[in-house]
Amino acid sequence: VKPSVKRKRRTPAALPRLSWITGTKKMEPDASVLLHCAVWKGLLESQVHVELSESRFNRRTDPVLEREILEAWTERMSKEPWLFNGSKFRLHSFCWASAHSPSLSPSCAQQERLNEIRRCQKQRKGLEKPVDEASGPLLTLRLGLTCYRDYLGTNWSARASELCQLGETAFEDPRALLAQPLGVGAVLCTCDHQVVLIRRSHRVAEAGGLLDVPGGHPEPKVVCEQLGRAVHEERIRVDMMEQNAVVSELFSSVCVEIRDEVNIPLGALGQPVLMGVALNHTSAGRPSAEFYVSCSLTSEEVRKLYWEGGAEASESTDVVFLSQQEVSELGDHSPLWQQLCPSAKGAVLLYQTVKPDGP
């Protein structure tokens, strides 16, 4: 996690519960795919729903652990007083709409949704008129609330593996005591078929010098503010938010991150397509929703904008372009694979699985 305050993600090591996995397995030591939307080549905003609950989906507490979290946070603040305890969404679990599990062969209804996705993709390129997207959501993400302080004190704790064992024993859930903040990331593709990567600054707290995709966090505070409910970060509750507003923030936050990190105007970005959720195993399997986002600019135009500097220019030192074909062929056999940070590996694994820009 970058030691900054706005939308920053990134994220010691536990395997997810098998009930979370939809026909996937751990493919790489640093990252794995929790869920993918390959049947539909990704999902649009209208096809994703959230269920909010603090009582069911928040992190479980333990008196000893809470003291440890507070002590770790106090020590961290003494060294980095500019930090603050920002609120984040916590991914507890997910479920598919009835009869739409991607582990099954596509039904007629699924095939129709796949056709609709492709029509929508053509629409974004200006090739077709708008289509009706009223058939409802296919994926529900179950979200609670967590915070940056708890993230540092659990996912980044030296006792993270022990916490997972305690969670399994006490709650039959190895992630029950972990913060598990939900991040976002983007496989960003230019109009000349190049994927945009940025090299992380050595000044950030995690994976300095490695290649990453643009990304950060959806913010509960942003949702509250957009609903006209200004509230202090530590007093945010799920009953202050509306489900549709949370989904909107999930999708829009990834575009805001692209704007701030790469300096690309929002108007040059296509509609985000959710490829799935990846897990970062260097931070206890913390989750990140990974999107495919098209860009109407060429790679050279993007390069020029990047070097002009965006709002978060200090968090990276270079922009790197790989062809979509190169990204499709990346793997642990490639020297470049070792230059990718775990979040970027997760995004690439989903891109290769979902093929959102494929035929």
Side-chain angles (χ1 to χ4, degrees):
V1 166
K2 306 174 186 176
S4 59
V5 297
K6 187 173 74 68
R7 295 187 188 275
K8 290 303 98 185
R9 77 153 178 227
R10 316 303 188 207
T11 321
L15 294 176
R17 291 183 72 189
L18 294 179
S19 60
W20 264 39
I21 306 228
T22 54
T24 64
K25 60 182 179 179
K26 191 171 179 181
M27 297 174 282
E28 212 282 335
D30 293 343
S32 66
V33 171
L34 172 65
L35 71 94
H36 66 77
C37 309
V39 168
W40 309 279
K41 290 191 173 292
L43 299 181
L44 302 175
E45 182 176 331
S46 63
Q47 299 166 306
V48 178
H49 179 69
V50 298
E51 184 179 354
L52 305 173
S53 173
E54 293 182 41
S55 61
R56 291 183 294 153
F57 305 148
N58 276 21
R59 180 179 66 85
R60 298 297 189 105
T61 59
D62 173 84
V64 174
L65 176 59
E66 304 320 302
R67 288 197 297 272
E68 291 178 354
I69 291 174
L70 183 57
E71 290 170 1
W73 179 250
T74 301
E75 179 181 359
R76 184 73 176 262
M77 286 290 290
S78 68
K79 298 176 181 178
E80 302 172 77
W82 56 84
L83 296 179
F84 77 90
N85 187 26
S87 177
K88 308 296 177 188
F89 290 106
R90 179 181 188 269
L91 179 63
H92 174 273
S93 54
F94 68 91
C95 66
W96 300 102
S98 177
H100 286 300
S101 170
S103 62
L104 304 175
S105 299
S107 65
C108 294
Q110 288 174 314
Q111 187 60 51
E112 176 57 29
R113 287 308 282 159
L114 178 55
N115 292 338
E116 181 176 335
I117 288 288
R118 289 171 174 167
R119 289 196 296 271
C120 289
Q121 290 172 337
K122 290 180 180 179
Q123 176 192 338
R124 291 194 295 273
K125 297 177 181 179
L127 300 180
E128 264 190 24
K129 296 181 180 179
V131 297
D132 180 16
E133 297 180 28
S135 52
L138 300 175
L139 172 66
T140 295
L141 301 175
R142 299 183 177 124
L143 304 178
L145 290 176
T146 187
C147 63
Y148 184 66
R149 177 193 64 202
D150 289 3
Y151 171 63
L152 292 180
T154 60
N155 287 69
W156 276 111
S157 170
R159 292 204 307 129
S161 295
E162 181 183 345
L163 293 179
C164 293
Q165 295 172 358
L166 290 172
E168 180 66 49
T169 300
F171 306 105
E172 298 184 341
D173 180 357
R175 299 170 310 280
L177 295 168
L178 302 181
Q180 293 294 89
L182 178 63
V184 294
V187 172
L188 174 64
C189 296
T190 64
C191 66
D192 54 346
H193 310 295
Q194 299 291 305
V195 175
V196 182
L197 300 174
I198 52 178
R199 190 170 297 279
R200 294 168 61 81
S201 168
H202 284 284
R203 297 176 60 185
V204 299
E206 183 183 354
L210 296 180
L211 293 174
D212 201 359
V213 297
H217 286 101
E219 301 288 352
K221 187 174 183 179
V222 171
V223 175
C224 291
E225 290 174 345
Q226 291 178 343
L227 294 172
R229 299 166 185 165
V231 62
H232 189 276
E233 288 271 1
E234 297 190 13
R235 295 183 178 179
I236 294 175
R237 305 186 311 273
V238 296
D239 59 11
M240 298 175 177
M241 294 176 279
E242 298 174 359
Q243 294 173 338
N244 288 343
V246 173
V247 175
S248 178
E249 167 64 7
L250 176 65
F251 277 73
S252 64
S253 63
V254 72
C255 292
V256 170
E257 290 299 336
I258 293 171
R259 179 196 66 190
D260 293 347
E261 295 185 353
V262 192
N263 201 32
I264 297 176
L266 295 178
L269 301 176
Q271 186 176 3
V273 176
L274 177 64
M275 299 186 294
V277 175
L279 301 177
N280 182 339
H281 295 288
T282 65
S283 51
R286 74 75 56 89
S288 182
E290 303 295 344
F291 295 83
Y292 171 83
V293 181
S294 62
C295 176
S296 61
L297 305 177
T298 66
S299 53
E300 282 307 308
E301 290 172 325
V302 170
R303 189 191 305 276
K304 181 179 178 181
L305 287 170
Y306 173 84
W307 287 112
E308 289 176 0
E312 297 173 0
S314 63
E315 295 175 0
S316 64
T317 60
D318 196 8
V319 61
V320 175
F321 299 91
L322 296 177
S323 72
Q324 290 170 277
Q325 183 63 33
E326 288 176 310
V327 175
S328 297
E329 297 173 354
L330 274 177
D332 55 12
H333 60 279
S334 168
L336 185 60
W337 186 255
Q338 305 309 317
Q339 295 188 44
L340 299 180
C341 68
S343 55
K345 290 178 179 179
V348 169
L349 289 174
L350 277 166
Y351 179 75
Q352 294 172 341
T353 300
V354 176
K355 300 178 176 62
D357 49 9

